[in-house]
Amino acid sequence: MNELVFEINSNEEIWELFDKDLNSIFIHKFVPNEVIQWWKTDLKTQSGTEFKNLSVRQMEMDVQTDLSGLKKILKLNTNQLRIYQFEKPISDTLEIDRLPEKNRNQVLKQNGLKHFFFVDFEFITIGSFELDFISGIERNPKFEKRIAERKQRLTE
């Protein structure tokens, strides 16, 4: 797994980093509202039970979406995101938290993972099984100076 870490100014600016040929997006432990407060929402369960006008807080969920949905999520400018880009939707039985740490990347790769993007406040960590993908990001005019500065600070 090839990785790259650098500073970002907002989640919206990282949109161009995603592989537009891969339309299966998985966001692990997505929190749609980071402020701990109550808000109103409707909820429909898989069995068809509907709850109208619920008050909820601290909701956390795994989300499967496409690039269009990802673009909307990035506009929320959430402080922490765990975004995985797959070749295909992940199966119902794949749970990242239950995978052993030592072979997690290999299992995810076997399930079609190509790249991941971990946003932690002002930093992004990008991982990919494809070195060319990482090299392309390093050459991106918007980010290449930030990447070079970060690498230099780490070697000093």
Side-chain angles (χ1 to χ4, degrees):
M1 175 68 68
N2 306 288
E3 287 190 12
L4 187 59
V5 179
F6 57 95
E7 294 177 31
I8 57 171
N9 297 320
S10 73
N11 291 351
E12 285 187 54
E13 81 170 358
I14 66 173
W15 170 249
E16 64 194 72
L17 299 175
F18 290 91
D19 185 336
K20 304 307 185 290
D21 293 330
L22 299 174
N23 202 30
S24 292
I25 305 296
F26 174 73
I27 302 174
H28 185 53
K29 294 188 175 186
F30 175 61
V31 178
N33 187 356
E34 292 189 5
V35 177
I36 300 175
Q37 65 186 28
W38 294 97
W39 80 91
K40 297 287 187 185
T41 191
D42 296 338
L43 177 67
K44 184 177 181 179
T45 66
Q46 184 179 4
S47 65
T49 304
E50 289 188 51
F51 299 94
K52 297 286 187 187
N53 204 27
L54 285 178
S55 292
V56 299
R57 71 175 178 190
Q58 296 180 314
M59 188 185 307
E60 176 184 279
M61 65 194 91
D62 288 344
V63 174
Q64 282 201 84
T65 189
D66 56 15
L67 289 167
S68 176
L70 174 62
K71 197 169 198 176
K72 290 178 187 176
I73 288 169
L74 289 175
K75 287 182 180 179
L76 295 174
N77 218 22
T78 306
N79 290 329
Q80 294 181 305
L81 289 169
R82 301 288 176 264
I83 304 166
Y84 296 82
Q85 199 166 23
F86 283 84
E87 303 178 293
K88 60 185 179 183
I90 66 168
S91 71
D92 291 345
T93 58
L94 181 64
E95 293 181 61
I96 291 177
D97 288 341
R98 294 182 186 239
L99 296 174
E101 183 77 31
K102 66 179 182 173
N103 62 347
R104 180 176 292 160
N105 285 343
Q106 190 59 35
V107 171
L108 291 172
K109 183 178 182 181
Q110 290 169 349
N111 280 274
L113 177 66
K114 291 294 187 178
H115 322 294
F116 68 77
F117 305 80
F118 292 174
V119 176
D120 284 310
F121 296 89
E122 71 272 12
F123 292 97
I124 186 167
T125 301
I126 301 172
S128 179
F129 293 105
E130 301 170 4
L131 185 56
D132 289 346
F133 182 78
I134 295 293
S135 298
I137 292 171
E138 290 176 317
R139 291 187 304 271
N140 183 309
K142 182 182 268 186
F143 303 106
E144 68 181 335
K145 184 178 177 184
R146 290 184 236 173
I147 293 168
E149 287 172 355
R150 172 119 174 121
K151 285 182 177 181
Q152 184 176 356
R153 280 190 301 238
L154 293 176
T155 58
E156 291 178 347

